[in-house]
Amino acid sequence: MSILSILEPASTTTTRPTVARLVTGSIPATVGSDLLVPLADGRVTDYANFDHGASAPCLESVRASVEAALPSYASVHRGNGYASRITTQWYERAREEVHAFVGARKDDQVIFTRQTTDALNLLSRALPADATVIVFESEHHAALLPWPAERTVRLKAPTSQTDAVTSVADALRQAPEGPRLVVITGASNVTGEIFPIAEIAKVAKAHGARVCLDAAQLAPHRPVDISTLDVDWVALSGHKLYAPYGAGALIGRSDWLDAADPYLYGGGATHAVTEDTVVWTTGPARHEGGSPNVIGAIALASACAAISKHRDAIEQHERSLLARLRTGLAQIDNVTTYSIFGEDADRVGTVCFTIAGLTSTLVSAALSAEYGVGVRDGKFCAHPLVGHLLADSPEHGTAVRASLGLGTTREHVDRLVNAVRTLATSGPRAEYAETAHGCQPSDDPRDLQAPRIW
């Protein structure tokens, strides 16, 4: 079966069920919700997407916004032509939408970036020369690695929310005088657990420190409010917010950003250029050199608007599915789930688990080939945290992550739980071999080559 044939209407051999969404008509629809995928036994089934934590599918409303913007797409800010003026308005209104989405203060900047990693690297470049950074080693690499090593204090993964707050307080008391920045994740990309953001921010402010919140995993699932949380910056990604068009944002205070050299030297970042001097502009344009990703910004704003409108229904949908998933996995022998703060901690829709006797790569391959379930396996760009969580599981160096979202249904959850139960009890049905891309059934009839779509 070719990849192209999967995109055609379902044949009589499909196992696609007719199951309504949990909150029918109340949550935003996603592109690809009718995607069919081949199984190793020759059948096809609808795709059960449990990889939202890596990249979420596009919202239908986001695709519609992008299609509406394309006919008049033009370069922004410096053109008087009709298309340029219209596109400039959309770009700046996108900035306003993102500003409102995170409850930013009136004078906070919204700088469009490529994604969270880019946003945090931008902030790292803007740090005062004598700034000290405090960060937990449980962070995603995007929040762990950008800071100057000689001025960064890495804290051990906390054992509880109280421990997290206490560790930050102790580190701040011992930190040198001068500017200090605490970097904190909103929700762990490994376990989904929510960190005590407001409590850590309160401690930081008591010691004169600033706070940067990595909201990549939190913003798609729960409200983020800069003013209420009292953080100084928020970084997020469009591709995790159902807007996979290459844009993210850094939102927050302007002083360090306006004092720093531009992130990209070039057009748009300049106020005046002579033979001898360059005067850089201030504000978001200072760090948005070159032609910006206008379509990405429009897509991100469209996603923010849709999520804000449907926030209650989204939370209801995800909480119910997560409870169903966690309850199901907890009832299976030889399956271990992992947490930072304990099983009762509040979390978004992510579960990290292993199956005794099976590698995570084999589990993810079997879930895909035999059940049409997509999960992530490995260390999830959070190697220190995964090493900490799996310290008592010497047979496992990596784990499986199931992350649900708007593309997930009850049937998908039940299919994943039943598949894990079968794997834990009987193992995979097929024989698997290691390949350059991981594991694959040794006798795999699926055509996994992706033809050009252009």
Side-chain angles (χ1 to χ4, degrees), residues 204-353:
K205 295 307 169 70
H207 288 83
R210 299 188 182 189
V211 179
C212 176
L213 172 64
D214 172 1
Q217 297 291 336
L218 183 63
H221 310 287
R222 301 288 179 85
V224 173
D225 191 292
I226 286 180
S227 299
T228 301
L229 295 171
D230 198 18
V231 299
D232 299 274
W233 292 279
V234 166
L236 50 77
S237 291
H239 73 99
K240 297 186 191 299
L241 274 164
Y242 305 92
Y245 286 83
L250 177 68
I251 309 102
R253 296 179 61 160
S254 61
D255 53 350
W256 286 5
L257 295 166
D258 282 344
D261 286 344
Y263 191 46
L264 296 173
Y265 285 20
T270 58
H271 176 70
V273 180
T274 68
E275 291 183 359
D276 303 315
T277 62
V278 178
V279 179
W280 303 106
T281 189
T282 56
R286 186 180 185 89
H287 299 292
E288 292 179 356
S291 294
N293 180 4
V294 175
I295 296 300
I298 290 170
L300 176 57
S302 178
C304 289
I307 291 171
S308 296
K309 180 179 179 180
H310 297 277
R311 180 66 79 180
D312 290 344
I314 290 171
E315 286 195 41
Q316 179 188 348
H317 171 79
E318 294 182 348
R319 286 182 187 276
S320 178
L321 293 183
L322 177 61
R324 193 179 186 92
L325 175 59
R326 295 185 67 205
T327 298
L329 292 177
Q331 296 172 350
I332 304 173
D333 291 338
N334 296 322
V335 170
T336 302
T337 58
Y338 298 90
S339 64
I340 303 169
F341 301 135
E343 291 301 316
D344 294 333
D346 189 18
R347 66 193 71 209
V348 299
T350 297
V351 178
C352 177
F353 68 94

Side-chain angles (χ1 to χ4, degrees), residues 13 18 47 82 130 198 392 431 441:
T13 60
T18 54
Y47 183 54
Y82 173 84
D130 58 343
D392 295 330
E431 295 291 330

Side-chain angles (χ1 to χ4, degrees), residues 127 131-139 143-144 147-149 151-156 164-176 178-185 200 203-204 207-213 256:
L127 291 178
T132 299
V133 179
I134 296 171
V135 60
F136 284 104
E137 68 174 12
S138 51
E139 295 284 330
L144 180 67
W147 320 107
R151 300 196 309 277
T152 298
V153 177
R154 284 195 188 181
L155 306 179
K156 296 294 185 182
V165 177
T166 302
S167 295
V168 171
D170 290 343
L172 286 168
R173 276 192 290 269
Q174 299 171 28
R180 286 168 286 181
L181 177 69
V182 177
V183 181
I184 185 71
T185 191
I200 288 175
V203 165
H207 288 83
R210 299 188 182 189
V211 179
C212 176
L213 172 64
W256 286 5

Side-chain angles (χ1 to χ4, degrees), residues 14-294:
T14 181
T15 60
R16 178 181 172 84
T18 54
V19 178
R21 288 188 181 276
L22 181 64
V23 190
T24 303
S26 297
I27 60 173
T30 57
V31 177
S33 59
D34 56 351
L35 176 66
L36 300 177
V37 296
L39 301 181
D41 61 6
R43 296 177 300 144
V44 296
T45 188
D46 70 313
Y47 183 54
N49 184 357
F50 284 92
D51 202 16
H52 288 72
S55 282
C58 184
L59 290 182
E60 290 281 8
S61 58
V62 168
R63 177 167 68 175
S65 295
V66 168
E67 290 177 352
L70 288 176
S72 59
Y73 167 77
S75 188
V76 296
H77 292 148
R78 293 175 295 282
N80 279 321
Y82 173 84
S84 181
R85 291 172 69 93
I86 292 298
T87 304
T88 297
Q89 290 183 56
W90 281 335
Y91 185 64
E92 293 305 328
R93 287 173 181 170
R95 204 185 302 278
E96 294 170 3
E97 191 72 52
V98 175
H99 188 279
F101 180 72
V102 297
R105 298 160 293 246
K106 184 177 180 180
D107 57 350
D108 283 335
Q109 292 186 10
V110 174
I111 300 174
F112 287 119
T113 63
R114 288 176 293 179
Q115 68 307 76
T116 304
T117 302
D118 195 34
L120 294 172
N121 274 268
L122 164 58
L123 183 58
S124 175
R125 285 272 299 273
L127 291 178
D130 58 343
T132 299
V133 179
I134 296 171
V135 60
F136 284 104
E137 68 174 12
S138 51
E139 295 284 330
H140 186 282
H141 293 168
L144 180 67
L145 301 179
W147 320 107
E150 68 278 9
R151 300 196 309 277
T152 298
V153 177
R154 284 195 188 181
L155 306 179
K156 296 294 185 182
T159 57
S160 67
Q161 292 200 344
T162 300
D163 180 42
V165 177
T166 302
S167 295
V168 171
D170 290 343
L172 286 168
R173 276 192 290 269
Q174 299 171 28
E177 293 296 322
R180 286 168 286 181
L181 177 69
V182 177
V183 181
I184 185 71
T185 191
S188 169
N189 78 301
V190 177
T191 67
E193 289 164 280
I194 296 175
F195 273 64
I197 306 162
E199 292 83 354
I200 288 175
K202 184 176 181 180
V203 165
K205 295 307 169 70
H207 288 83
R210 299 188 182 189
V211 179
C212 176
L213 172 64
D214 172 1
Q217 297 291 336
L218 183 63
H221 310 287
R222 301 288 179 85
V224 173
D225 191 292
I226 286 180
S227 299
T228 301
L229 295 171
D230 198 18
V231 299
D232 299 274
W233 292 279
V234 166
L236 50 77
S237 291
H239 73 99
K240 297 186 191 299
L241 274 164
Y242 305 92
Y245 286 83
L250 177 68
I251 309 102
R253 296 179 61 160
S254 61
D255 53 350
W256 286 5
L257 295 166
D258 282 344
D261 286 344
Y263 191 46
L264 296 173
Y265 285 20
T270 58
H271 176 70
V273 180
T274 68
E275 291 183 359
D276 303 315
T277 62
V278 178
V279 179
W280 303 106
T281 189
T282 56
R286 186 180 185 89
H287 299 292
E288 292 179 356
S291 294
N293 180 4
V294 175

